[in-house]
Amino acid sequence: MQRFAHLYPRLGLMMVLEFLVFGSWYPTIGLVLSKNGLGDLIGLVFVFSSVAAVVSPMFVGALADRFFQAQKVFGVLHLAGAALLVCLPSAVRSGNENLFLSLLFVFTLFFQPTQAMPNNITFAHLGDRHDVFPYIRALGTGSWIVSGLIIGQAGLSASPVIFYVTASWSVLLGLYAFTLPATPPRQRNVKFKLGDVIGSGAFTLFRRRDFRVLMGCMLLISLPISIYNAYGSTYLSVAGIADVASVMSLGQACELLFILVLPVMLRTIGYRGVLITGLACWMLRCGLFLAMGSGTHWLAFVVVGMHGACNDFFMITACMYVDRMVSPALTAQAQALVFFMSIGVGQGLGSLIAGFLYDQAVGAGSAPSLSDWNILWTVAGMVSVLAFALFVALFRQQAVAEIPHETAPDAPATSAGSSPEALPSAR
């Protein structure tokens, strides 16, 4: 017990710092670019982020799982990322698009694997005390909220200075990582398989109708997610919201609330009912974005606050539903497949389409009005309606049927991108 009393605060601080890094740059990077003459790059930034989320685990995961202690790889990644972050403000101010995209892409190659590594390190040291994990993970969501408040209250929501702030947190976390408990490689003698990164061991799930429908709707809903992730902060600024970063942190606060409601809803209306509710929330959210105008600033708090319902009731619930389909031997592979489909394919394509829509409707205008954005939210709404209709018509919740153990690889990879805890998020 004394060991855990010292361990929990150390793991909790790691989670806090990780989300301070993430929450300092990701929510308002679109606003920073649009306010500094680089608005046409916003879509590409999120495309590169999706590509990095798929590509980097191929290399970083192999290192962390097979050759080096995880906490050391974690620290090196953050220190390397900080070195790149301090170069980004000058690239933004100079308007050098190629330099900015190159630096940001390399940064995301370092950063994306770190999103799952705190979870992996935590589980490695909790042993059979997995019931403690939600409390440690909640500290991360709380620190995301704090990071948004810091950026917003300091008036930095649209400033390239956010990259300096992020670099400072990243250096602090990089150094702190080397003080964490040793986490030896878990797959030292296991041959790395490229297919493990995209969850090829779980491809048999496509035999199930419910899985095919779920993945199809997840790909569709990736477009509204991509539009919100890339352009939500910019839209709120155009709508007259001055403290964008602080307002957007409300989404994570509501996520904490809805995650507490989720178990009750699952017991009451089941997985199908919760997933339908999540898609319905996306339809409503897009409609509220269209309804925003002068004198309706209060709607900004509603649409941002709905982040919790949209994310928890569809994306998180989808991951939970997939997890119950498979045997324990295929859990990591199944979640890697969901991660690849949603973050890699879905949000990658979604970001390309979102960028095209923005360039056509908004990007050309020097002083865009809210009406210029209607095409983005109209398309997002139509896709949400399509996903909702297809899901209601075609999805039939099936009984849990475990995939036979012999179909699973002998030792599935647990790289940074294929951890069962690395759940897709709408952030």
Side-chain angles (χ1 to χ4, degrees):
M1 184 61 67
Q2 186 176 5
R3 170 180 171 268
F4 285 118
H6 290 89
L7 178 64
Y8 295 161
R10 296 171 69 186
L11 296 175
L13 180 57
M14 171 188 65
M15 199 71 71
V16 166
L17 291 172
E18 172 68 19
F19 279 82
L20 283 174
V21 173
F22 195 10
S24 296
W25 72 275
Y26 191 81
T28 62
I29 187 172
L31 179 59
V32 171
L33 296 178
S34 66
K35 292 295 186 180
N36 288 273
L38 298 177
D40 56 330
L41 300 184
I42 299 174
L44 284 176
V45 164
F46 286 87
V47 170
F48 284 2
S49 180
S50 296
V51 171
V54 175
V55 172
S56 54
M58 298 181 188
F59 309 101
V60 177
L63 293 174
D65 287 346
R66 292 163 178 80
F67 302 108
F68 301 105
Q69 294 184 0
Q71 83 282 0
K72 293 182 179 179
V73 176
F74 185 56
V76 169
L77 288 173
H78 272 293
L79 292 175
L84 292 163
L85 283 166
V86 296
C87 301
L88 287 174
S90 61
V92 172
R93 294 188 179 107
S94 67
N96 192 327
E97 296 185 354
N98 293 332
L99 177 61
F100 176 81
L101 285 175
S102 299
L103 289 171
L104 188 77
F105 179 61
V106 178
F107 164 71
T108 54
L109 288 175
F110 287 128
F111 175 75
Q112 288 288 17
T114 71
Q115 293 193 64
M117 294 184 81
N119 300 347
N120 298 338
I121 292 171
T122 299
F123 275 103
H125 292 283
L126 288 181
D128 59 356
R129 297 297 307 274
H130 281 198
D131 57 314
V132 179
F133 177 77
Y135 302 102
I136 296 176
R137 175 58 180 78
L139 293 173
T141 301
S143 67
W144 175 289
I145 297 170
V146 171
S147 68
L149 293 174
I150 292 174
I151 295 296
Q153 295 301 313
L156 300 176
S157 297
S159 171
V161 174
I162 64 169
F163 298 118
Y164 290 135
V165 176
T166 306
S168 300
W169 291 125
S170 197
V171 168
L172 182 59
L173 178 52
L175 296 175
Y176 176 70
F178 288 94
T179 72
L180 291 169
T183 309
R186 295 178 294 177
Q187 306 282 331
R188 188 182 296 274
N189 298 317
V190 177
K191 182 179 179 181
F192 176 72
K193 298 178 182 178
L194 184 62
D196 290 342
V197 175
I198 62 172
S200 61
F203 280 178
T204 50
L205 286 173
F206 281 106
R207 298 172 185 170
R208 295 178 54 132
R209 171 175 166 172
D210 56 344
F211 184 78
R212 295 194 301 270
V213 173
L214 184 61
M215 289 300 99
C217 292
M218 186 174 284
L219 289 177
L220 286 173
I221 212 65
S222 293
L223 178 58
I225 290 173
S226 298
I227 291 176
Y228 177 74
N229 283 348
Y231 300 105
S233 60
T234 306
Y235 181 78
L236 292 177
S237 177
V238 174
I241 304 300
D243 191 357
V244 174
S246 296
V247 172
M248 293 197 72
S249 68
L250 174 65
Q252 278 60 51
C254 291
E255 184 176 355
L256 279 176
L257 174 62
F258 283 109
I259 203 70
L260 296 176
V261 176
L262 181 57
V264 178
M265 292 190 62
L266 287 173
R267 288 194 299 268
T268 304
I269 62 177
Y271 280 92
R272 184 175 186 272
V274 174
L275 290 166
I276 288 174
T277 301
L279 291 173
C281 287
W282 267 112
M283 291 193 300
L284 176 60
R285 195 182 201 190
C286 293
L288 291 176
F289 268 118
L290 280 170
M292 286 184 64
S294 58
T296 59
H297 289 180
W298 61 273
L299 279 177
F301 297 93
V302 177
V303 295
V304 173
M306 288 186 69
H307 168 83
C310 293
N311 188 46
D312 294 346
F313 294 163
F314 188 75
M315 298 301 293
I316 300 300
T317 302
C319 293
M320 294 170 65
Y321 184 80
V322 170
D323 184 69
R324 69 196 290 274
M325 291 182 181
V326 299
S327 64
L330 273 179
T331 295
Q333 290 282 291
Q335 295 299 336
L337 180 57
V338 174
F339 184 89
F340 175 76
M341 293 292 290
S342 60
I343 304 298
V345 177
Q347 293 192 33
L349 291 175
S351 296
L352 282 174
I353 297 171
F356 173 79
L357 293 174
Y358 175 84
D359 291 342
Q360 295 300 311
V362 183
S366 57
S369 64
L370 285 182
S371 61
D372 294 329
W373 291 79
N374 286 350
I375 183 62
L376 277 82
W377 303 121
T378 298
V379 172
M382 292 172 61
V383 171
S384 300
V385 170
L386 176 61
F388 178 87
L390 289 175
F391 191 88
V392 171
L394 301 177
F395 185 86
R396 296 294 179 268
Q397 184 172 322
Q398 299 179 16
V400 178
E402 287 195 345
I403 306 299
H405 284 270
E406 61 266 24
T407 63
D410 293 333
T414 55
S415 68
S418 60
S419 163
E421 291 80 41
L423 304 180
S425 171
R427 281 192 289 268

